[in-house]
Amino acid sequence: MEKLKPFRFSKRFDDVPLIGSAFAGEHPGLIPLAFGFPYPNSFPINELAESVVAALKSEGTEALQYSGGPGQKKILKWIRERSRLRSIDVETDQIMITSGSNQGIDLVARTLTDPGDSVWVEAPVYFGALRAFYLAQNELSAFPVDGDGLRVDLVEEALIEAAAGKRPMPKFIYVLPNYHNPAGINLSVERRKKLAALAYKYNFYIIEDDAYVELNFDGDFLPSIYSFGPERVIYMSTFSKIVAPGIRMAWVISDPEVLSRIKIVKTEGLTSVLMQEAVSCFLEKVDFEDHLRPLVAGYRMRRDAMVKAIGDFFGSEVSFEKPKGGFFLWLSFPSEIDTTKLLHDAVEAGVSFVDGKSFYLDRKPTNNLRLAFSFCDEMQIRKAIRILAMVYQKQKNAVC
């Protein structure tokens, strides 16, 4: 056989970082606080099994075709009704089902931008979105968040500079408004209104990634950014956190012109029509609020267990915003601590997390890390935080 010659792959891959540090499968017994997986008991196994069987028995002939069955329309109607709780009032033809939120992010980025176009993100920012924007060959700029979310005042200053020709105007700004990944904070109502107003004034879009909105621990829901600017906001949410990520179903809401173009980019056609049929049956079978209540309670208990353990084992040596929902807690250490080094030692000791640099454009070492409280039970969380505190003390003593 002739020896293979080197092959040049797409240039898109050259600058796309791999978030591989949180994968530690070679360490048996590892307590995983790295990625945001739902806890196993949250999955409605029996109801989903019955729903899949019901979908096949009632609509199998259609549901197994490319075009699918009637469940698609039922799903869109459910999303439309549920979206009204976020002050989003749309018709079903403004909703498109995607294979998970990340596909939606990717589709929107490729619809709105050409290579070299400017995209603005938060700092820190969800690394899955970063990867989509890198692959779309966008030029990225980042703006910090604080306890009230994205610093919209700094965004406005940059937009004024862009309008004066001093920097590129963004095609869109990507925002996680509720239970931010990784920071765990919420964007204030005032900043939501201001950001939407800026999108109209400077003619850019906002991608509102609302993956965690249903996982609200306090019961206080804020109006969506979309409600303040429907012609300039593309809204996304998902079934991954409220049913199961394995069904690979999320959705995009936008004005008809944008949605028609996204559908052109979505070359594979309709998303898993059989699963849409099954989820439609599931949503008809269950009382959704009754389904959601214990789910949220489970995440709240895990959040509380992590907060208490951090207080018990770290005291005042670390800081964080207590998340009011979602999956994640963003922990800040003293400035001399490098969480990338901390990660290596923590994995060896039996705990994983994602180091802070994975959430920033420059990927320089930081003193932050993201902890997921979503997957492990309370005992595992407490044990993991105790181990992490021990590893931290060793690094702190070595630095001193």
Side-chain angles (χ1 to χ4, degrees), residues 98 166 259 261 298 379 383:
T98 62
K166 297 180 180 179
L259 203 62
R261 295 173 183 271
M379 291 182 62
K383 179 180 178 181

Side-chain angles (χ1 to χ4, degrees), residues 88-219:
I88 298 174
D89 190 8
V90 295
E91 299 301 321
T92 55
D93 63 0
Q94 294 177 253
I95 308 169
M96 184 183 73
I97 303 297
T98 62
S99 180
S101 291
N102 279 353
Q103 187 189 43
I105 295 168
D106 174 64
L107 291 173
V108 171
R110 290 191 288 126
T111 299
L112 297 183
T113 68
D114 293 312
D117 281 344
S118 181
V119 166
W120 294 1
V121 300
E122 299 163 302
V125 60
Y126 167 49
F127 52 69
L130 277 184
R131 183 173 298 177
F133 305 150
Y134 283 132
L135 288 171
Q137 298 178 297
N138 300 138
E139 295 295 326
L140 302 179
S141 297
F143 297 82
V145 303
D146 61 18
D148 288 321
L150 176 66
R151 287 284 306 276
V152 177
D153 58 326
L154 299 181
V155 171
E156 183 175 21
E157 291 176 6
L159 289 168
I160 293 171
E161 292 180 358
K166 297 180 180 179
R167 63 185 301 165
M169 187 69 72
K171 297 296 290 290
F172 66 81
I173 298 179
Y174 172 79
V175 182
L176 273 152
N178 294 307
Y179 323 123
H180 187 277
N181 177 6
I185 43 84
N186 289 344
L187 184 65
S188 70
V189 174
E190 293 74 20
R191 293 186 185 183
R192 293 173 193 230
K193 291 179 180 178
K194 181 64 175 178
L195 188 61
L198 291 172
Y200 282 89
K201 182 176 181 180
Y202 292 99
N203 196 31
F204 61 86
Y205 276 92
I206 299 165
I207 297 182
E208 182 176 10
D209 185 356
D210 213 6
Y212 302 92
V213 62
E214 295 281 7
L215 304 183
N216 183 317
F217 301 156
D218 298 335

Side-chain angles (χ1 to χ4, degrees), residues 269-286:
L270 300 173
T271 297
S272 188
V273 290
L274 173 59
M275 190 52 67
Q276 288 195 56
E277 205 69 46
V279 172
S280 171
C281 290
F282 170 79
L283 294 172
E284 289 181 338
K285 177 184 292 289
V286 303

Side-chain angles (χ1 to χ4, degrees), residues 213-233:
V213 62
E214 295 281 7
L215 304 183
N216 183 317
F217 301 156
D218 298 335
D220 297 325
F221 288 97
L222 301 179
S224 62
I225 306 172
Y226 185 98
S227 67
F228 300 118
E231 294 88 3
R232 278 294 174 267
V233 180

Side-chain angles (χ1 to χ4, degrees), residues 304-332:
D304 291 345
M306 181 170 284
V307 168
K308 185 177 188 308
I310 291 172
D312 289 345
F313 295 118
F314 283 97
S316 60
E317 294 199 44
V318 297
S319 61
F320 59 92
E321 294 281 345
K322 183 179 179 180
K324 296 180 180 179
F327 278 9
F328 305 113
L329 188 149
W330 184 242
L331 202 59
S332 295

